[in-house]
């Protein structure tokens, strides 16, 4: 049996005031999330690849703490998340970029260049952008806080730039 097959994974889809969020977890923590979407199906569509690879079982209510924290955040009441994350299998540069991104305080932004430097390669702005594009847990790792060198909003998976803008407005930028 493969190492992956020997580990239990689960998923659920739940509703927030901003839409439906899908999540996959393991005994170590949250592995993947979607951004809020209009329907549960669209939220799950964003997790199609990890769903196919990890084959998690459906566990309704398994993410009660995450659900509560997302509701608080989306209502403007929560500054940071404290749910455990399972980022196993991520490329080392991506992990470093995600860690740097997670350090950006609510209400502030950083550039892709800053992110690349923090991740260990000042010349890797494009790679930092790719790390944000591959962020498995958006909102928990706040990739919406990363902007272009001109301060412009660039690239945002799922619901798009409109969602990025809305999240920054929520954080009073």
């Amino acid at each position: 049996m493969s190492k992956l097959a020997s580990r239990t994974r689960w998923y659920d889809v739940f509703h927030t005031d901003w839409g439906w969020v899908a999540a996959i977890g393991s005994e170590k923590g949250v592995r993947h999330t979607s951004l809020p979407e209009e329907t549960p199906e669209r939220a799950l569509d964003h997790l199609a690849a990890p769903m196919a690879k990890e084959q998690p079982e459906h566990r309704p209510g398994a993410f009660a703490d995450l659900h509560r924290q997302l509701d608080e955040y989306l209502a403007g009441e929560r500054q940071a998340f404290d749910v455990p994350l399972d980022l196993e299998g991520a490329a080392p540069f991506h992990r470093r970029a995600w860690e740097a991104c997670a350090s950006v305080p609510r209400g502030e932004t950083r550039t892709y260049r800053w992110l690349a430097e923090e991740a260990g390669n000042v010349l890797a702005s494009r790679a930092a952008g790719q790390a944000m594009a591959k962020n498995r847990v958006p909102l928990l790792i706040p990739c919406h806080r990363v902007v272009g060198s001109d301060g412009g909003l660039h690239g945002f998976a799922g619901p798009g730039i409109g969602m990025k803008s809305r999240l920054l407005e929520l954080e009073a930028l």
Side-chain angles (χ1 to χ4, degrees):
M1 179 168 21
S2 76
K3 189 175 185 180
L4 182 62
S6 69
R7 299 174 82 162
T8 302
R9 307 286 166 86
W10 54 87
Y11 79 95
D12 196 17
V13 184
F14 50 86
H15 191 262
T16 71
D17 285 343
W18 284 35
W20 292 90
V21 173
I24 298 174
S26 75
E27 65 278 356
K28 289 183 176 182
V30 178
R31 291 185 54 75
H32 303 273
T33 62
S34 70
L35 289 163
E37 285 288 353
E38 293 178 5
T39 67
E41 295 78 17
R42 286 187 66 174
L44 280 169
D45 284 347
H46 289 288
L47 301 185
M51 291 284 285
K53 181 179 179 184
E54 300 183 19
Q55 299 183 346
E57 63 185 60
H58 186 212
R59 286 194 191 168
F63 296 96
D65 193 37
L66 172 62
H67 188 174
R68 178 184 55 77
Q69 290 187 37
L70 281 172
D71 281 343
E72 292 168 357
Y73 169 78
L74 295 170
E77 300 165 358
R78 176 170 282 277
Q79 297 298 307
F81 296 96
D82 62 9
V83 294
L85 301 179
D86 177 358
L87 303 177
E88 183 177 282
F93 182 82
H94 287 178
R95 284 185 80 122
R96 291 191 308 270
W98 295 343
E99 289 168 6
C101 181
S103 76
V104 179
R106 180 185 173 115
E108 296 183 22
T109 59
R110 300 291 187 274
T111 65
Y112 292 100
R113 179 181 168 84
W114 175 90
L115 194 63
E117 186 172 353
E118 291 295 306
N121 186 345
V122 72
L123 301 177
S125 294
R126 286 184 184 266
Q130 285 302 308
M132 294 301 97
K134 294 182 185 298
N135 179 6
R136 298 183 341 198
V137 287
L139 299 182
L140 305 179
I141 295 175
C143 53
H144 61 279
R145 296 179 189 155
V146 182
V147 298
S149 59
D150 62 356
L153 305 185
H154 302 281
F156 202 60
I161 295 292
M163 175 65 76
K164 186 171 188 166
S165 177
R166 187 174 175 199
L167 288 166
L168 291 173
E169 287 174 16
L170 170 72
E171 295 180 354
L173 289 178

